[in-house]
Amino acid sequence: MPAEPSGDLHLLVAEREELTADVVRLVLRDPAGAPLPGYRAGAHVSLTTPSGQRRSYSLVEPGARRPEHYAICVRRDAGGRGGSVSLHDDVAVGDVLAVGAPANGFALRRAGRYLFIAGGIGITPVRAMVAELRQRAAAGAGPRVELLYLTRNREETVFLDEFSGADGSLVHHSAVSGRLDLWPWLAEPDDDARVYCCGPTALVEEVLALTAHWRPSRVHVEDFAGVDPLGGRRTPFTAVWEPTGARVEVGADSSLLSALRRAGVGVEASCESGTCGTCRLRLLAGDADHRDLVLTDEQRRTQVMACVSRAVSGELVLAPPR
Ligand code: FES
């Protein structure tokens, strides 16, 4: 069971609502009603589930400077590692959860036009982003916003009423209409536009493939399924911890994060699946096999995510983030 990170807030589950058969919405508040640390749309919080796992969930409401609550949606993933099932089965109104301050690796950046592509529960950060942009539009300064919301059917679609028929939104159910061809939206690269995609790995990979001719900086993805830390090719390697000179062997059946922790190197982590950006380390030397979904190509020259990344061969020289 991971230790609860220092600095966690202890928040009361103030509301619980079943949005669909598999998705529950939880509203978390300070027990004394104090305002919470602020965030911008696209942010997530990490929390410790009653079963002891640390999991990250996007905040589904537009950002605020001093929010009164955080709202998250949790999809039950019966085939997952148990965190979502525990939140569904073990959490009731009145319980207290340890929750980290919001972090944001999927923030809105300036653009004249936005295209959001959300698959299933990937709508959660996108909902916050679209709402924030529409607030700006209502103030008369809004860019153009389009949303493609892809789900299997009506029954599994959260916030259906909010997006169905809404201006600039297309809700597409694959069980009814088949797979949506995204090419018409992505064929023409546009340096004034940004594409944000959040959803399952297959959708994220499809969008990355279809935008290969776009400038990489205009395309932002978040894969809520994350990366299997022990997936793919697993060559043993050595991590050299530069502050102490310690040499840490990372076996084929261990992640870099686990090996460092076993060696007494404290590395903060949250999602442990390459999506949240918490376990970022400086890469001083070595050829890393990056597997995260956070770092840009530029950042990959000097940084590495310890939870999922490995070395192509030989050794990596690492240091804590500045
Ligand atoms: S812990 Fe989230 S990216 Fe590594």
Side-chain angles (χ1 to χ4, degrees):
M1 190 176 288
E4 192 179 291
S6 59
D8 264 8
L9 307 160
H10 291 90
L11 301 184
L12 191 70
V13 179
E15 289 176 39
R16 176 188 164 118
E17 180 189 7
E18 317 292 330
L19 297 183
T20 68
D22 281 330
V23 178
V24 66
R25 172 178 162 272
L26 300 176
V27 174
L28 309 167
R29 288 182 199 278
D30 179 86
L36 302 176
Y39 67 93
R40 300 299 303 264
H44 66 269
V45 290
S46 299
L47 54 79
T48 303
T49 68
S51 56
Q53 287 133 317
R54 195 72 178 167
R55 293 287 173 267
S56 298
Y57 294 97
S58 297
L59 296 168
V60 301
E61 295 181 354
R65 233 178 242 245
R66 290 162 61 80
E68 291 176 356
H69 64 256
Y70 297 144
I72 60 171
C73 291
V74 180
R75 185 175 71 89
R76 175 191 287 271
D77 181 3
R81 289 171 287 165
S84 68
V85 172
S86 175
L87 287 169
H88 270 258
D89 293 350
D90 306 331
V91 169
V93 170
D95 289 350
V96 171
L97 296 175
V99 182
N104 200 339
F106 197 52
L108 277 173
R109 300 184 187 217
R110 195 186 301 273
R113 180 168 80 84
Y114 293 86
L115 172 62
F116 294 96
I117 303 172
I121 198 66
I123 191 66
T124 49
V126 168
R127 178 184 188 244
M129 297 161 108
V130 169
E132 206 165 291
L133 289 169
R134 289 193 171 144
Q135 282 175 356
R136 281 189 224 165
R144 207 170 116 213
V145 177
E146 275 182 282
L147 166 65
L148 306 178
Y149 182 16
L150 316 178
T151 70
R152 224 183 324 257
N153 53 43
R154 289 180 62 85
E155 294 68 36
E156 294 177 33
T157 305
V158 296
F159 307 120
L160 179 61
D161 292 346
E162 193 173 315
F163 293 113
S164 187
D167 198 24
S169 301
L170 171 67
V171 183
H172 181 91
H173 304 306
S174 60
V176 179
S177 311
R179 203 176 136 273
L180 182 68
D181 179 7
L182 299 173
W183 183 244
W185 283 272
L186 300 172
E188 287 297 324
D190 179 355
D191 281 352
D192 190 37
R194 288 189 188 271
V195 176
Y196 284 86
C197 174
C198 183
T201 308
L203 176 65
V204 168
E205 286 177 351
E206 182 184 356
V207 168
L208 288 174
L210 292 176
T211 53
H213 57 307
W214 285 59
R215 276 177 46 202
S217 61
R218 313 308 290 184
V219 181
H220 311 264
V221 300
E222 188 163 83
D223 176 346
F224 60 70
V227 177
D228 177 356
L230 295 179
R233 187 172 46 86
R234 287 184 267 142
T235 310
F237 64 100
T238 304
V240 180
W241 189 243
E242 190 264 352
T244 61
R247 299 179 66 81
V248 178
E249 299 306 324
V250 184
D253 54 357
S254 171
S255 69
L256 170 59
L257 176 68
S258 311
L260 287 171
R261 284 177 163 173
R262 274 199 303 275
V265 176
V267 180
E268 278 220 26
S270 175
C271 68
E272 299 194 18
S273 57
T275 60
C276 73
T278 308
C279 65
R280 188 182 307 251
L281 297 176
R282 276 186 296 142
L283 174 63
L284 305 181
D287 195 1
D289 176 7
H290 294 281
R291 301 178 177 196
D292 65 273
L293 299 162
V294 176
L295 297 174
T296 62
D297 287 346
E298 175 71 21
Q299 290 172 323
R300 286 182 168 188
R301 290 161 46 188
T302 56
Q303 299 174 34
V304 68
M305 291 296 166
C307 65
V308 291
S309 298
R310 308 184 66 82
V312 173
S313 62
E315 62 183 40
L316 301 181
V317 182
L318 304 167
R322 285 189 205 281

